Amino acid sequence: MSARRKKGWRLVWADEFEGDQLDLSKWDYDLGNGFYDYRVHQWVPGWGNEELQYYTDSPRNVSVAKSCLTISARKEPLHGCGYTSGRLKTRRRDGTPLFNTLYGRVEFKAKVPWGKGLWPALWMLPQDDRYGGWAASGEIDLMEIVGDKPHEVLNSLHFGSSFPKRSLITKGYTLPGGSTVADWHVYAVEWQPGEIRFYVDDVLVSTYDHWWSCSKTDAQGGREPKRASELNPWPAPFDQPFYLVMNVAVGGNFPGLPNADTVFPAELVVDYVRVYEKTGGWGETLPRGRGQMPWQTKT
């Protein structure tokens, strides 16, 4: 228990993956190779990213043993896809909550697979799309990799207007001492009103304090704001509860296609997930930091 305590923080939710099966009071499975977008009444294949895997709830793809969770991406055909894998989230498939958090510290301790065409990720999405479709309501990525770059970890924020006018800020962090993502590392985010900080093994690797959200749309989808009055109030969209997501995608427009050197099964092993609240709360919202808005001239 002592390892779960942090000075200045109070543990409010955790999964240590004890036992021999997934705790369905904490996690649900995403299934298939896409989703239905109810806003436009359309099926979106490949999860919107041209991904190649079919997500299942099979123990071949998601298993719990020896106090760890394992998500395994496998090279095997299913329902027209060439690969199977797993994607877990703390929200039920019908959209009702299992767990979400507004602000705090979120930690994943994990060993991450790598190889051409692999796209493992530990991330967060809004419980409700309060400000509109992705990414007007935000996305927080604690850890993802370009599959064939095992020494570099990426963290990102997605925000802005709804697709296709979303915005992205991302930073890479090179793991020290020749380490790779296949070794154990703790990936964390500290999220407070007006500032989001990312950590790897308790090393601060990036701080973000400038983003924006706009709910305006036109016939093509999201529309970038033309003036400050069209913005949602700061610190939107990162002022609403987010839930947790873990997955291993295969292929897609980010990592490209697997090749003959990509090793399957590709296993994401998670030792624990822990969420903390700040003792005493955060106080006032920090002001927006310096940065460029869409209507400003690019330099």
Side-chain angles (χ1 to χ4, degrees):
M1 176 64 74
S2 60
R4 301 170 66 181
R5 293 176 180 161
K6 284 188 172 295
K7 186 176 181 181
W9 300 94
R10 182 174 71 89
L11 185 70
V12 294
W13 186 93
D15 199 341
E16 307 288 329
F17 302 110
E18 304 297 339
D20 58 4
Q21 57 186 346
L22 187 69
D23 186 344
L24 296 180
S25 71
K26 296 180 176 179
W27 304 95
D28 199 2
Y29 298 87
D30 267 328
L31 301 176
N33 180 250
F35 63 95
Y36 192 82
D37 188 339
Y38 289 93
R39 288 181 298 274
V40 295
H41 305 289
Q42 255 183 351
W43 179 257
V44 181
W47 299 97
N49 298 309
E50 301 180 9
E51 296 169 27
L52 305 176
Q53 78 287 336
Y54 193 98
Y55 288 130
T56 84
D57 58 1
S58 165
R60 285 178 56 78
N61 298 117
V62 179
S63 59
V64 176
K66 298 180 180 178
S67 299
C68 288
L69 165 81
T70 301
I71 297 178
S72 300
R74 296 178 178 273
K75 187 178 180 180
E76 55 188 8
L78 183 66
H79 301 313
C81 298
Y83 304 86
T84 63
S85 190
R87 174 162 142 166
L88 302 177
K89 59 187 182 182
T90 62
R91 187 176 80 157
R92 294 186 182 92
R93 287 196 301 281
D94 65 5
T96 56
L98 289 168
F99 171 78
N100 53 62
T101 185
L102 173 61
Y103 308 127
R105 178 182 171 93
V106 179
E107 295 181 348
F108 295 83
K109 183 178 180 181
K111 295 196 296 186
V112 177
W114 63 274
K116 185 72 172 70
L118 295 179
W119 190 0
L122 306 168
W123 49 304
M124 302 170 66
L125 284 170
Q127 171 64 38
D128 301 302
D129 288 336
R130 178 180 298 175
Y131 299 109
W134 186 84
S137 293
E139 175 182 323
I140 301 171
D141 299 334
L142 284 78
M143 188 289 308
E144 60 183 344
I145 65 168
V146 179
D148 56 353
K149 295 182 178 180
H151 298 282
E152 185 180 42
V153 177
L154 304 178
N155 59 71
S156 307
L157 294 182
H158 297 259
F159 57 92
S161 301
S162 297
F163 185 83
K165 295 297 185 180
R166 59 96 179 180
S167 287
L168 165 69
I169 47 177
T170 187
K171 292 183 181 178
Y173 171 69
T174 301
L175 296 169
S179 180
T180 74
V181 294
D183 302 315
W184 285 113
H185 296 287
V186 177
Y187 304 99
V189 61
E190 290 182 3
W191 170 27
Q192 72 180 94
E195 186 170 284
I196 297 175
R197 300 177 296 276
F198 291 95
Y199 297 80
V200 178
D201 298 327
D202 282 329
V203 175
L204 176 63
V205 298
S206 54
T207 300
Y208 301 127
D209 61 2
H210 182 274
W211 56 77
W212 53 272
S213 172
C214 176
S215 300
K216 300 290 184 180
T217 59
D218 57 26
Q220 283 72 48
R223 176 173 68 77
E224 287 188 341
K226 298 178 180 179
R227 58 189 66 87
S229 62
E230 295 183 351
L231 296 176
N232 295 312
W234 173 258
F238 301 111
D239 61 348
Q240 60 179 321
F242 277 57
Y243 64 92
L244 313 181
V245 190
M246 306 183 287
N247 69 294
V248 181
V250 181
N253 50 30
F254 182 67
L257 300 174
N259 61 23
D261 295 325
T262 308
V263 176
F264 292 95
E267 296 185 338
L268 169 64
V269 183
V270 182
D271 183 24
Y272 62 74
V273 184
R274 298 171 183 166
V275 181
Y276 299 83
E277 286 183 349
K278 185 72 169 176
T279 304
W282 290 106
E284 295 297 318
T285 299
L286 298 175
R288 194 192 322 257
R290 296 178 61 183
Q292 189 165 281
M293 290 298 185
W295 61 83
Q296 295 174 328
T297 303
K298 291 180 170 57
T299 57

